[in-house]
């Protein structure tokens, strides 16, 4: 006849109800939580994405398109990413760096060019939308060694300091003159208000536009 040893019993802590299980110590709780958290985090990192996203290297490249346009009298046909702005097309593909990238958000006017005779912020204009368009940049104003009258007026009036905004100011001024918005200094300021000069040459810029428009 075998005699089984009774299982050892653990007395509940003093004051706890009969049959209740004692709570784990703070040390045990912290260690258990840390280990469990590491396992869960490891599963999220190593396992498949919960959103089913494909790895970055499997993502499709953005589509390209061909666009033909005339820039400063010369015809160009280029293939560009559909998201390419006219400014990036000019600077990075055609190496016409006169148009400046300032804010790249259409707020400063440093990138102003003429498209079919109208002033545009080239940083906000998609290149692929300009099929067949005629674009004029600051490089296309001069005739050989002969400056455009507004370019000469900027020199005569000392209408620039650092020069970063100057290409956009001149292109905007040419558009302003062609549009007939030069009847007064106030009108010039109003219709060139989208072009910012951080050096503060506004008075001389207006004088340069007046000189060109009215021969003053």
């Amino acid at each position: 006849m075998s005699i089984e040893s009774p299982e050892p019993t653990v007395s509940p802590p003093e004051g706890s109800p009969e049959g209740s299980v004692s709570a784990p110590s703070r040390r045990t709780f912290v260690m258990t939580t840390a280990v469990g958290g590491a396992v869960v985090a490891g599963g999220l990192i190593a396992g498949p994405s919960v959103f089913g996203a494909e790895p970055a290297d499997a993502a499709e490249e953005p589509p390209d398109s061909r666009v033909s346009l005339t820039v400063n009298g010369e015809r160009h046909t280029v293939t560009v990413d559909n998201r390419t702005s006219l400014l990036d097309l000019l600077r990075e593909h055609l190496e016409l760096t006169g148009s400046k990238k300032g804010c790249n958000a259409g707020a400063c006017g440093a990138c102003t060019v003429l498209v079919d005779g109208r002033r545009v912020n080239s940083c906000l204009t998609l290149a692929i939308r300009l099929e067949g368009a005629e674009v004029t940049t600051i490089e296309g104003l001069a005739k050989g060694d002969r400056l455009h009258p507004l370019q000469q007026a900027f020199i005569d009036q000392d209408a620039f300091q650092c020069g970063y905004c100057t290409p956009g100011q001149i292109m905007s001024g040419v558009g302003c003159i062609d549009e007939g918005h030069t009847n007064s200094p106030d009108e010039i300021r109003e219709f060139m208000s989208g072009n910012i000069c951080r050096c503060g040459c506004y008075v001389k810029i207006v004088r340069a536009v007046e000189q060109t428009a009215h021969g003053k």
Side-chain angles (χ1 to χ4, degrees):
M1 180 177 179
S2 63
I3 300 175
E4 296 182 359
S5 303
E7 295 182 1
T9 59
V10 179
S11 302
E14 185 177 354
S16 61
E18 187 69 24
S20 64
V21 180
S22 60
S25 67
R26 181 176 181 276
R27 180 181 178 84
T28 303
F29 175 78
V30 171
M31 292 181 63
T32 304
T33 304
V35 173
V39 172
V40 172
L44 288 176
I45 294 173
S49 171
V50 294
F51 299 106
E54 296 181 356
D57 56 0
E60 295 183 1
E61 293 185 0
D64 294 338
S65 295
R66 289 172 63 86
V67 59
S68 296
L69 68 168
T70 301
V71 180
N72 300 330
E74 184 177 349
R75 190 72 170 177
H76 296 275
T77 299
V78 293
T79 300
V80 294
D81 182 325
N82 287 353
R83 301 167 297 180
T84 301
S85 67
L86 172 58
L87 178 60
D88 287 338
L89 171 66
L90 294 172
R91 292 180 60 84
E92 299 177 11
H93 294 265
L94 303 183
E95 298 183 355
L96 296 172
T97 56
S99 304
K100 303 305 181 187
K101 181 176 286 190
C103 64
N104 205 33
C108 73
C111 67
T112 303
V113 299
L114 302 180
V115 175
D116 294 331
R118 297 177 61 86
R119 294 178 283 174
V120 302
N121 290 320
S122 59
C123 70
L124 296 183
T125 305
L126 285 176
I128 61 171
R129 300 192 59 166
L130 299 180
E131 178 67 32
E134 293 192 7
V135 179
T136 304
T137 72
I138 191 68
E139 292 91 343
L141 288 184
K143 303 299 182 184
D145 294 333
R146 183 182 178 185
L147 296 178
H148 184 279
L150 186 55
Q151 289 176 306
Q152 185 61 54
F154 263 66
I155 296 173
D156 296 341
Q157 297 294 338
D158 194 22
F160 53 89
Q161 286 189 37
C162 77
Y164 194 85
C165 75
T166 303
Q169 296 280 2
I170 292 176
M171 297 308 300
S172 185
V174 169
C176 189
I177 293 169
D178 291 344
E179 294 161 13
H181 297 307
T182 57
N183 296 310
S184 69
D186 286 340
E187 185 176 27
I188 293 172
R189 282 190 286 269
E190 173 67 23
F191 282 88
M192 290 190 62
S193 59
N195 290 79
I196 303 221
C197 174
R198 298 191 184 278
C199 299
C201 295
Y202 296 110
V203 173
K204 295 181 178 181
I205 289 171
V206 171
R207 288 177 184 169
V209 174
E210 284 186 301
Q211 173 181 318
T212 305
H214 307 298
K216 294 182 179 180

